Amino acid sequence: MKVSILDQSPVLANGTQTEALQQSLRLAQAGERWGYERYWIAEHHDLKGLACSNPDVMLSYIGAQTSTIRIGAGAVLLPHYKPYKVAETYNMLATLFPNRIDVGIGRAPGGSAEATMALSDNYLEQVRMLPDKVKELLQFFDHDFPKDHMFSKIAPSPVPSVLPQPWILGTSGKSAKMAAENGLPYTFGHFMSQKDGKEITQQYKREFEPKRTLKSPQIIVTVSVICAETTEEAEQLAMSGYLWQLQQETGKSTSGIPSMEEARNYSFSDKEQESIKDMKQKSIVGNPKEVVRTLKSLQQTYQADEMMIVTITPTYEARLRSYELIVNELNKH
C-alpha cells in the first residue's frame, strides 16, 4: 500500500509559526527517509494554528533540502489566482526539482471571509468559473491553446523537461466530475467530508476520460490518523486535535494546538462530546496494527491507489513517531 503525507503545518500552543514551518521541513525529510510516496503541504490564510499561507515558497525550501520524495500543494486554492501565474510558479518548481512536482487544485477559500476578500475579488464568481480556470491552467501547462487565441503566443517559462502533475482535490461529486472530465487524478478528502466518499470516487472512475498522460483513473484518499505505541496513548494525543477543532468552530481558538494537559483538564459539554463522536468517525486512532488494518480496509472500500495521511498532535515528536510507526508496521507485511 502506497502512503503519503499531507501537512497542514500546525502551530503548537505556546509555539511559533517559525517552529511550525521548520518542523514541516523535518517531516518532509523524515517522510523521504521512511519511503513515503509524496509530501503535500496545505494552503491556509490567517487561520490560528496553521502556519503555511504559501505552499509555493515552502515547496522551494523543502525541495532544496530533499531529493527523491514527490512534493506538492494540497492544494493551490485556484479561485484566488490567475492560471498563468500558477503555471509559471509550478513550472519553475518542476524545473528546479525535475519529475517531483505535484500541483493539487482546490476551490476552498482557505480562511475567513475577510482574508478571502483581501486575497481575491468576487470569490464566489471565481468559484463558479473554476472549471474554466482548470482548463486554462492545463492549456498553459500543455501549451495547446488554439492558434488564434492570444495566449497561444506565450509560455509559462521556464518550461521543465517533465511537467508538474496536476491533481483535483475535493469532497464532492462536482470535484470528481471535474477530475474525470479533464483526465486528471483525483484526491478525495475523507477526513473533511460528511458525504458518501465511496460513491463519489466511483463516479470519478465511471466518468473518467483518458487525456493528457493519464490513461486510467487514479485516486488518493486523505485520512486523519494518529498512531502511537498503544491505543490509549493515541487516544490521549487525539483529544488535543479534537479540542482544537472545537475551538476553531466556535471562534475560541488560542494560538495553536492545545497541549495534552490542556485537553485533559478541559470540561467538554454534552454538545461538544457529540461533536467529538462525529470527529472520531472521520479519523483513525490507535496502535500500529489497528491503524494499518483500518487504513487497508479504507483503501479497499475506496479502491484507492494511495492513502494520504494528515496527522495533528500536541507535540512534533508524537507526529513524527506516528508516521514512523505506520511505515514500520506496513513493512512487516
Side-chain angles (χ1 to χ4, degrees), residues 73-146:
V76 171
L77 304 180
L78 193 57
H80 292 316
Y81 311 113
K82 284 278 200 175
Y84 183 64
K85 181 57 179 172
V86 174
E88 279 189 328
T89 299
Y90 282 82
N91 271 359
M92 172 74 89
L93 288 166
T95 301
L96 292 169
F97 313 116
N99 203 22
R100 293 179 58 199
I101 299 299
D102 296 326
V103 49
I105 300 163
R107 56 164 279 180
S112 66
E114 292 83 0
T116 299
M117 289 174 68
L119 274 165
S120 56
D121 296 324
N122 205 344
Y123 170 76
L124 292 178
E125 175 64 11
Q126 296 301 321
V127 168
R128 189 185 68 77
M129 292 171 59
L130 186 60
D132 293 332
K133 295 184 83 161
V134 167
K135 285 184 169 60
E136 187 174 297
L137 177 62
L138 296 178
Q139 284 178 299
F140 277 126
F141 280 140
D142 298 336
H143 200 57
D144 68 350
F145 285 97

Side-chain angles (χ1 to χ4, degrees), residues 214-227:
L214 194 65
K215 303 307 178 195
S216 58
Q218 187 176 350
I219 294 172
I220 291 177
V221 173
T222 306
V223 288
S224 173
V225 181
I226 294 179
C227 185

Side-chain angles (χ1 to χ4, degrees), residues 48-61:
K48 290 180 179 176
L50 302 178
C52 182
S53 59
N54 193 324
D56 316 343
V57 172
M58 279 302 292
L59 291 174
S60 63
Y61 178 65

Side-chain angles (χ1 to χ4, degrees), residues 25-308:
L25 169 63
R26 189 180 175 204
L27 176 59
Q29 291 173 323
E32 181 170 87
R33 286 197 309 275
W34 296 330
Y36 278 85
E37 188 76 12
R38 69 190 83 230
Y39 166 95
W40 286 358
I41 190 162
E43 175 182 336
H44 294 97
H45 300 284
D46 193 38
L47 273 181
K48 290 180 179 176
L50 302 178
C52 182
S53 59
N54 193 324
D56 316 343
V57 172
M58 279 302 292
L59 291 174
S60 63
Y61 178 65
I62 287 168
Q65 298 180 77
T66 53
S67 57
T68 57
I69 193 169
R70 290 194 68 87
I71 57 175
V76 171
L77 304 180
L78 193 57
H80 292 316
Y81 311 113
K82 284 278 200 175
Y84 183 64
K85 181 57 179 172
V86 174
E88 279 189 328
T89 299
Y90 282 82
N91 271 359
M92 172 74 89
L93 288 166
T95 301
L96 292 169
F97 313 116
N99 203 22
R100 293 179 58 199
I101 299 299
D102 296 326
V103 49
I105 300 163
R107 56 164 279 180
S112 66
E114 292 83 0
T116 299
M117 289 174 68
L119 274 165
S120 56
D121 296 324
N122 205 344
Y123 170 76
L124 292 178
E125 175 64 11
Q126 296 301 321
V127 168
R128 189 185 68 77
M129 292 171 59
L130 186 60
D132 293 332
K133 295 184 83 161
V134 167
K135 285 184 169 60
E136 187 174 297
L137 177 62
L138 296 178
Q139 284 178 299
F140 277 126
F141 280 140
D142 298 336
H143 200 57
D144 68 350
F145 285 97
K147 286 187 178 179
D148 60 349
H149 196 292
M150 68 175 175
F151 292 162
S152 67
K153 298 179 177 67
I154 59 174
S157 61
V159 177
S161 56
V162 180
L163 290 171
Q165 174 60 63
W167 290 74
I168 298 292
L169 280 61
T171 57
S172 69
K174 278 187 180 178
S175 57
K177 186 178 182 66
M178 194 188 311
E181 286 179 349
N182 288 286
L184 294 177
Y186 182 55
T187 302
F188 180 78
H190 174 88
F191 75 106
M192 55 193 292
S193 172
Q194 300 299 321
K195 297 177 183 173
D196 183 356
K198 183 180 177 183
E199 171 51 34
I200 290 168
T201 52
Q202 284 177 343
Q203 174 196 340
Y204 162 70
K205 285 191 170 185
R206 283 194 308 271
E207 297 180 5
F208 180 83
E209 300 174 26
K211 291 179 182 174
R212 305 182 80 244
T213 57
L214 194 65
K215 303 307 178 195
S216 58
Q218 187 176 350
I219 294 172
I220 291 177
V221 173
T222 306
V223 288
S224 173
V225 181
I226 294 179
C227 185
E229 301 281 359
T230 67
T231 306
E232 183 183 20
E233 183 187 353
E235 288 173 347
Q236 288 173 351
L237 289 168
M239 289 308 294
S240 294
Y242 298 150
L243 176 56
W244 177 70
Q245 285 185 60
L246 290 170
Q247 290 171 337
Q248 291 279 94
E249 289 167 7
T250 57
K252 297 176 184 174
S253 178
T254 56
S255 58
I257 312 303
S259 66
M260 286 179 73
E261 183 180 13
E262 184 182 344
R264 237 190 330 262
N265 294 334
Y266 185 87
S267 295
F268 292 95
S269 67
D270 290 344
K271 186 179 177 183
E272 288 172 331
Q273 294 279 13
E274 285 301 310
S275 295
I276 288 173
K277 281 184 186 175
D278 290 338
M279 292 177 201
K280 287 181 176 179
Q281 293 295 314
K282 286 296 174 186
S283 57
I284 302 172
V285 178
N287 64 46
K289 281 188 170 56
E290 292 168 337
V291 164
V292 167
R293 183 168 63 242
T294 309
L295 275 174
K296 287 185 171 180
S297 174
L298 262 182
Q299 182 198 22
Q300 287 298 314
T301 298
Y302 279 103
Q303 291 295 292
D305 300 281
E306 194 172 319
M307 301 300 286
M308 182 171 273

